[in-house]
Amino acid sequence: MRAFEYTSPKTVADAVAMLSSEGAVALAGGTDLLSLMKDGAASPSRLVNLKGIRDLEGAHRTDDGFRIGATTRLASLEENPTIRESYPAVAQAVAGVGSRQVVNMRTVGGDLCQRPRCWYFRSGFGLVPMHEGRSMAKIGDNRYHAIFGNSGDAAFVNTSSLAPPLIALGAMVTVSGPDGERSMALEDLYRTPASSDESEFTLAAGEIVTAVTLPTASAQSATYDVRNRKGFDWPLVSASVAVSGGSARVVLGQVAPTPWISTAAGAALAGGLSEESAAAAGNAAAEGASPLSGNAYKVQLTRVAVKRAAMAAMEG
Amino acid sequence: MAIRTQTIGDPVRRREDPRLVTGQALYTADIPLSGALHLALVRSPYPHADVVGIEADDAAAMPGVRGVFTGADILPTLKAPFPVASSPSGGAFEGLQLPGSGPIADRRVRMVGDPVVAVVAETPQQAADAAAAVWVDYRDRPGAGDCRAALADGAEAIYDAVPGNRAFRWDLPANREPDPAPVVVAQDFRIQRLIPMAMEPRTVAARPDGDRITLWTSTQSAHRVRSSVAKILGVARERIRCVAPEVGGGFGAKANLYPEEVLVPWLTLRFGAPVRWAATRTEDFQTTSHGRNLFARLEVRADESGRVRHADLAMQFDCGAWFSRPGPTTPSLTGTMIVGPYDIATAAARAEGAFTTTAPNEPYRGSGRPEATYLIERMLDILAGRLGLDPVEIRRRNLIPGHRFPYRTATGLTYDSGEYERALDLALEAGDYAGLRVEQARRRAGGGKPLGIGVACYVEICGFGPWEAGGVTVEPDGSVTVRSGTSPHGQGHETAWAQIAGEQLGVDPARVSVLHGDTDECPRGIGTFGSRSAPVGGAAVFTNAETVREQAKRLAASLLEAAPEDIRFAEGRFFVAGSRARAVGWTELAAYAASEESPDDAGDALTSDTDFRPPSETFPFGAHLCAVEIEPETGEPRILRYISVDDCGRVINPLLAEGQVHGGLAQGISQALFENAAYDADGTFLTGSLLEYAIPRADMLPAYELRRTVTPTPINPLGAKGIGEAATIGSTPAVVNAVVDALRPWGVEHLDTPLTPEKIWRAMNESQAQGEESESD
């Protein structure tokens, strides 16, 4: 690990200013960043600790929904009665993380900005690793890589635990940067980079996530993830389902470079939750998958995860 | 108060546990060493490369750094090669290559994690920072991630002296021309590489003590480390005191000598100051020996009734970048144990070993016997399937019957004692085998999750000699001291040896102290591996305590003014036959021995320290039964029942024996379902952390149902056979047989381990899956 400068601002404005310099990186729970630094996959010259900014922490009801500050820890989210009762897909996503140490430390903003677990990326080959003009993930071992959204060279998967349920529930994300504050649909935070020079986030230089807001709950929702070892593995596939009135949203995690909204699966559930519509949604979610040489199993797990998430939402 | 004189066989709670669970125990990292320096090693990130240049001036100038050393500084001063491998005894090894890599790189690295530069500083953090500042220039060479790649034509030589990379050949020709048999079945097997994963990473510390060195190390064999280090450093053995303090697990991987056990005392001599090194988990992953890791092809010939007449085994064994003495014995054990508990008339086996650019592949819990058992037990199920026989029935037709012992195997071993079918019957009864088959038929006919039932019988070899120490002394206050040549890394020797000495001497085990793992306190010993502690080390305690008791009779005769032949012993007291009222105990005898009235040899009468030399090995056995259910949507296997019947001869302490079985089952089941240490084709290590390497958690394992039969061995007077490895050996094939049994409707005959959900799901969804697995895991 290389030497770095450590700063701990008290306001968002100060944090944004400190992050504007080259090589500065935001630090919250540290569950991802510190392992990247230890592995040599990140070597920031300055860490800007966000945990000293009081405004960023805490989750509470608002007039038109529910606001979650960026440095709110997963553990406090899990314990929040509103989350448990009104947004079960979020609570179930946290429960799936399993490792108490991670749940206690990881923040909501950190989870949304979790870097890929792709082993080529973690070994220092970059976000879109290339070998003699070809995508390393496509020619190499890709059992955990993308089965959707992989038509370009990027084949890593987005591994945020919270993005699928939050997007399914229609969350907005607020970001602050040198040009002030802006809000957008959470799915618009993510993009698929064409090369390792590009980011997987739409954040501008110096911008940080400050909060997520959920609309007032009216949906039945659930999350289901499939892991090799429950407790401390990353999921192989996760699925979040939210059904409200005559519409439904199905969002997959771990299958594409971004959280993956399956409109076909959503359509299959729009008429209501039943055993039949759950199975149909599972099959619909797997349609159009483009598995790589070693990850066809994830297509099957997509079917299973969506079906089980829909069943869980129905059983509420 | 009546003294309990029968303590062997009691479920005595472990005396070790209070200090372990309260954090009072001292591991090597905890030994207080004032003014200790700290070693950090710069290690190769490449599997195979030349070291072209080392730039360490910046590191040497960093705060607290006391020295930076390379192979050029260290290697010329060593007096014997490292590793200290020598030709293993008792096998037909041909062309054994011992190129000797040295404890630190000599301008060449041969695996990820090979030490290149030693950095010594005043704190561990300073040493780590300075190590990170050393710049090493490597010139990459092609590597070999497994033995087939290393043995392929044109493969890069890993040692210049060993073109072709063949480390040895081993051959066990057929005992005679095999009889003709009409049914021939062969299968290729790939047994994956495993990481033993002790909870305590390897740690070494040393301190100068006058003209001696005290060396602490997390080892299974303090005596062997002392001898090897003395030879390599060129100092007299007596000048080294080697201590294995609390050791947090070993599983075979701490039984051999490691580079750091040479480097730390070398640096201690150099600086005249204490030095410590503690492996990070990453270093432990990369450099502590791995195990299993075998390519094998087994062919059996049988008649139509399922009687197996001949077994032929061909193996390719991956040695890793170097091996220590025990390395090549692993495939030879697999070869000699390939007939398992079955009466097979003829057998032949051969192996070739290859150097690869990976971590050393050495004995791991069971060493060779898990492989042999897995191979023959899988093969019997395949054969049963081909012949339309029940897996239990084919075993019954082949098991060695109880009246045939001692039984001479086709491979030249002599099995000591056994009631193999009794163990099988007990497992079937405990698991309701017939009921499980009914349920399986019901599900196959009427739907429901696929259910599989697996049975595995095993026999293993343990209690290796040639000798072990276990001295017993009655102290002047009447307490007892045992000096054990074997030392624990979690087994509970202190509790068990106190029970043995206590029973033999009629003394409360609480009055027995057990010393171990210190070459000063216990001057002779070999160590703990191969399930040898109870049958060899425990037998030594047993016989020495008996000798003390008999010698004490002469002392009692003198004190009681009677003839020695008239002295009787009961409940810890000596008396003249017919006058029990005038009995004397150990306290009076010890006081008498120390007094001036006692005979001249009185002191010697209360101590005995004769090594136990077993005439041959012991052969524990058992039968395991596993019922498994498959989740069809995901291929996830779930173990519904697990019955383990283990016969380790006489049991010293059932709690300790059950603990060994529990741990063994966890590791054996995990081999079947979860664990796989992966290198890529060149030898880049892919599973170097606990995130990538799937050690099991409690919630991934079933509730075990343990049963026991007791068939004592005649090989030692204690009657104990050894239990350390047994459950690891029986469990992998039981689980795999169960999963494959569940997949029979899909035409599956074999799948290589680990049986991941993906592999199982593919077998159910890709037609004609007949065991030809890709290398996808």
Side-chain angles (χ1 to χ4, degrees):
Chain A
M1 198 160 21
R2 302 278 165 78
F4 54 84
E5 181 193 0
Y6 177 85
T7 60
S8 194
K10 300 292 178 209
T11 67
V12 170
D14 284 352
V16 166
M18 289 169 181
L19 282 165
S20 64
S21 76
E22 180 77 20
V25 174
L27 168 70
T31 58
D32 188 32
L33 179 59
L34 295 189
S35 68
L36 283 166
M37 291 168 69
K38 286 180 190 172
D39 291 348
S43 43
S45 54
R46 174 191 285 177
L47 293 187
V48 180
N49 173 39
L50 303 182
K51 295 191 297 295
I53 306 172
R54 204 165 290 171
D55 297 348
L56 289 183
E57 188 172 2
H60 55 85
R61 280 181 197 278
T62 61
D63 293 343
D64 53 356
F66 193 78
R67 182 183 186 280
I68 307 168
T71 62
T72 307
R73 290 164 202 260
L74 298 199
S76 65
L77 210 56
E78 190 182 26
E79 291 156 8
N80 187 292
T82 306
I83 291 287
R84 295 168 76 99
E85 286 156 26
S86 303
Y87 308 101
V90 176
Q92 289 159 10
V94 174
V97 174
S99 158
R100 279 325 297 180
Q101 294 94 326
V102 171
V103 170
N104 287 338
M105 288 302 291
R106 185 180 295 164
T107 64
V108 171
D111 181 274
L112 295 176
C113 297
Q114 159 80 34
R115 306 298 314 275
R117 294 297 315 172
C118 166
W119 40 39
Y120 302 103
F121 171 66
R122 296 268 155 180
S123 303
F125 293 103
L127 201 52
V128 186
M130 304 297 285
H131 179 72
E132 293 172 359
R134 299 167 70 196
S135 162
M136 283 173 78
K138 291 191 174 179
I139 56 178
D141 191 331
N142 50 35
R143 74 188 81 169
Y144 301 130
H145 284 80
I147 55 170
F148 288 103
N150 54 9
S151 57
D153 289 323
F156 67 87
V157 296
N158 181 287
T159 47
S160 167
S161 297
L162 293 179
L166 290 173
I167 292 171
L169 289 161
M172 302 287 288
V173 64
T174 307
V175 302
S176 285
D179 297 332
E181 191 176 270
R182 63 189 175 104
S183 272
M184 57 186 155
L186 177 56
E187 54 266 38
D188 294 333
L189 179 63
Y190 302 100
R191 61 196 295 275
T192 302
S195 77
S196 291
D197 297 333
E198 296 179 2
S199 168
E200 71 271 38
F201 302 107
T202 58
L203 295 170
E207 273 190 326
I208 54 169
V209 170
T210 54
V212 174
T213 52
L214 282 162
T216 305
S218 61
Q220 287 172 283
S221 74
T223 296
Y224 189 92
D225 58 37
V226 184
R227 295 166 196 254
N228 273 338
R229 290 175 296 167
K230 291 176 183 61
F232 59 110
D233 265 350
W234 294 85
L236 296 165
V237 171
S238 72
S240 293
V241 165
V243 182
S244 173
S247 73
R249 224 166 184 208
V250 175
V251 185
L252 303 170
Q254 320 284 340
V255 298
T258 65
W260 191 254
I261 300 172
S262 175
T263 46
L269 295 176
L273 290 166
S274 67
E275 208 164 313
E276 291 72 32
S277 71
N283 288 331
E287 289 296 319
S290 48
L292 304 173
S293 57
N295 64 3
Y297 181 56
K298 291 181 69 167
V299 179
Q300 167 67 9
L301 296 184
T302 299
R303 274 185 205 105
V304 174
V306 169
K307 186 182 86 172
R308 291 184 183 178
M311 296 292 289
M314 181 171 74
E315 285 152 15
Chain B
M1 190 185 75
I3 295 169
R4 278 217 58 187
T5 54
Q6 277 200 325
T7 57
I8 298 177
D10 280 359
V12 178
R13 295 181 71 170
R14 285 159 47 97
R15 61 167 65 177
E16 295 89 341
D17 284 344
R19 68 172 190 262
L20 290 169
V21 300
T22 57
Q24 303 300 301
L26 293 183
Y27 294 83
T28 300
D30 308 317
I31 303 293
L33 287 175
S34 67
L37 302 174
H38 297 269
L39 167 65
L41 289 158
V42 179
R43 295 181 183 276
S44 171
Y46 299 104
H48 194 193
D50 292 310
V51 177
V52 183
I54 295 172
E55 181 49 67
D57 290 351
D58 289 352
M62 285 172 69
V65 174
R66 297 283 295 274
V68 178
F69 305 91
T70 68
D73 304 308
I74 297 169
L75 296 172
T77 69
L78 303 181
K79 304 295 188 275
F82 174 95
V84 286
S86 55
S87 185
S89 56
F93 289 93
E94 280 173 36
L96 187 73
Q97 301 291 330
L98 301 166
S101 53
I104 190 162
D106 179 17
R107 297 186 295 275
R108 178 96 162 255
V109 289
R110 295 182 175 86
M111 64 179 214
V112 172
D114 244 356
V116 181
V117 182
V119 178
V120 178
E122 285 158 16
T123 70
Q125 293 76 15
Q126 288 169 335
D129 282 348
V134 173
W135 185 79
V136 181
D137 188 10
Y138 296 97
R139 189 186 301 127
D140 210 12
R141 284 170 175 264
D146 70 47
C147 57
R148 289 200 166 162
L151 291 170
D153 283 345
E156 174 95 350
I158 296 164
Y159 291 93
D160 295 339
V162 191
N165 299 316
R166 182 172 288 104
F168 64 88
R169 281 183 191 276
W170 175 84
D171 191 24
L172 182 73
N175 43 322
R176 62 175 169 80
E177 186 63 29
D179 297 325
V183 182
V184 179
V185 181
Q187 176 70 46
D188 288 318
F189 298 89
R190 172 76 173 107
I191 298 176
Q192 79 272 35
R193 177 189 282 259
L194 299 177
I195 299 179
M197 194 65 63
M199 201 180 292
E200 180 205 14
R202 289 189 297 109
T203 308
V204 184
R207 180 182 67 197
D209 279 321
D211 66 344
R212 301 180 76 207
I213 291 179
T214 303
L215 172 63
W216 292 266
T217 178
S218 178
T219 186
Q220 297 172 224
S221 182
H223 292 88
R224 277 189 182 176
V225 170
R226 178 182 63 161
S227 310
S228 302
V229 170
K231 235 181 270 176
I232 293 169
L233 296 184
V235 302
R237 209 163 59 161
E238 296 68 32
R239 279 185 59 203
I240 298 177
R241 174 187 183 186
C242 186
V243 181
E246 218 71 72
V247 177
F251 311 111
K254 292 178 182 170
N256 38 291
L257 186 74
Y258 283 97
E260 298 82 2
E261 287 170 323
V262 175
L263 298 175
V264 168
W266 188 90
L267 291 163
T268 293
L269 286 172
R270 171 91 181 202
F271 286 97
V275 177
R276 178 149 37 208
W277 169 81
T280 62
R281 183 58 70 184
T282 301
E283 286 179 297
D284 218 42
F285 261 101
Q286 292 177 346
T287 68
T288 300
S289 62
H290 300 170
R292 309 283 188 264
N293 193 10
L294 187 74
F295 290 94
R297 180 176 180 81
L298 176 61
E299 179 183 295
V300 296
R301 300 183 204 172
D303 59 29
E304 273 111 358
S305 72
R307 276 288 281 128
V308 179
R309 301 301 180 187
H310 178 69
D312 184 281
L313 173 65
M315 296 173 276
Q316 286 177 312
F317 180 76
D318 186 335
C319 297
W322 51 272
F323 57 77
S324 64
R325 181 168 45 195
T329 60
T330 297
S332 75
L333 280 169
T334 304
T336 48
M337 291 303 294
I338 192 59
V339 296
Y342 305 110
D343 180 31
I344 299 175
T346 56
R350 68 206 68 82
E352 58 181 337
F355 292 114
T356 61
T357 53
T358 66
N361 190 43
E362 303 260 15
Y364 164 47
R365 201 169 192 174
S367 180
R369 293 92 92 198
E371 295 91 321
T373 305
Y374 173 74
L375 296 172
I376 190 66
E377 289 302 301
R378 280 272 55 240
M379 182 52 79
L380 279 187
D381 267 28
I382 294 170
L383 182 62
R386 298 268 180 102
L387 297 172
L389 285 173
D390 184 281
V392 169
E393 183 54 33
I394 199 168
R395 286 173 171 79
R396 286 197 197 285
R397 291 181 188 180
N398 287 287
L399 283 173
I400 300 164
H403 66 267
R404 298 277 302 275
F405 290 90
Y407 174 89
R408 180 88 175 163
T409 70
T411 54
L413 297 170
T414 302
Y415 291 171
D416 53 349
S417 61
E419 289 285 353
Y420 298 162
E421 199 163 4
R422 185 164 62 141
L424 175 60
D425 284 336
L426 184 54
L428 300 176
E429 184 197 318
D432 185 19
Y433 181 74
L436 286 169
R437 286 286 177 211
V438 169
E439 171 64 13
Q440 182 183 51
R442 191 190 67 76
R443 290 193 189 192
R444 281 183 181 167
K449 293 178 183 175
L451 176 70
I453 305 145
V455 173
C457 298
Y458 74 89
V459 59
E460 64 138 332
I461 178 170
C462 52
F464 300 100
W467 57 270
E468 191 50 85
V472 174
T473 300
V474 176
E475 304 292 346
D477 65 354
S479 68
V480 178
T481 303
V482 171
R483 290 183 166 76
S484 172
T486 60
S487 62
H489 33 285
Q491 294 87 345
H493 287 55
E494 292 174 29
T495 304
W497 285 192
Q499 286 178 258
I500 294 172
E503 171 156 324
Q504 288 286 56
L505 300 175
V507 170
D508 185 341
R511 296 266 289 156
V512 181
S513 322
V514 178
L515 306 177
H516 55 76
D518 183 328
T519 58
D520 272 13
E521 287 183 340
C522 308
R524 296 184 322 289
I526 292 180
T528 296
F529 46 85
S531 304
R532 68 188 296 279
S533 277
V536 194
V541 176
F542 186 91
T543 51
N544 280 316
E546 188 169 69
T547 303
V548 168
R549 192 181 68 209
E550 294 310 307
Q551 289 170 355
K553 279 186 182 168
R554 286 188 282 112
L555 200 60
S558 166
L559 181 61
L560 296 170
E561 294 172 334
E565 53 272 24
D566 293 335
I567 299 295
R568 299 290 178 269
F569 175 81
E571 295 174 348
R573 298 181 73 75
F574 297 86
F575 52 91
V576 180
S579 65
R580 195 158 180 170
R582 266 190 70 216
V584 293
W586 290 106
T587 316
E588 293 115 303
L589 276 185
Y592 176 63
S595 74
E596 289 182 2
E597 293 93 68
S598 68
D600 289 346
D601 62 349
D604 295 342
L606 296 179
T607 191
S608 174
D609 190 9
T610 303
D611 300 332
F612 180 71
R613 293 178 174 274
S616 75
E617 292 80 26
T618 58
F619 294 84
F621 63 91
H624 288 202
L625 174 67
C626 175
V628 66
E629 178 178 88
I630 309 291
E631 173 59 52
E633 284 189 329
T634 59
E636 196 176 348
R638 190 163 73 93
I639 295 177
L640 304 177
R641 298 282 305 273
Y642 199 97
I643 291 96
S644 179
V645 178
D646 299 283
D647 191 322
C648 59
R650 190 176 182 193
V651 174
I652 300 164
N653 179 329
L655 280 183
L656 299 183
E658 283 166 18
Q660 289 296 316
V661 172
H662 274 239
L665 290 176
Q667 286 177 310
I669 292 170
S670 196
Q671 174 178 347
L673 298 180
F674 309 121
E675 295 182 40
N676 182 36
Y679 284 87
D680 78 2
D682 278 340
T684 297
F685 193 25
L686 302 177
T687 52
S689 86
L690 287 166
L691 195 61
E692 287 98 16
Y693 187 77
I695 64 161
R697 298 201 331 179
D699 65 351
M700 295 156 67
L701 296 163
Y704 310 129
E705 301 170 60
L706 308 190
R707 298 287 189 281
R708 182 185 307 127
T709 61
V710 177
T711 311
T713 179
I715 298 302
N716 65 67
L718 184 56
K721 290 189 170 191
I723 189 64
E725 298 155 297
T728 324
I729 293 165
S731 53
T732 307
V735 175
V736 177
N737 283 349
V739 172
V740 173
D741 183 54
L743 300 179
R744 279 196 58 157
W746 285 267
V748 177
E749 205 169 52
H750 177 68
L751 292 175
D752 281 332
T753 51
L755 302 180
T756 59
E758 176 174 0
K759 198 177 281 184
I760 294 169
W761 183 82
R762 282 181 186 278
M764 296 169 76
N765 287 278
E766 291 166 7
S767 55
Q768 275 83 49
Q770 292 282 336
E772 291 303 319
E773 273 294 298
S774 67
E775 299 268 319
S776 64
D777 286 273

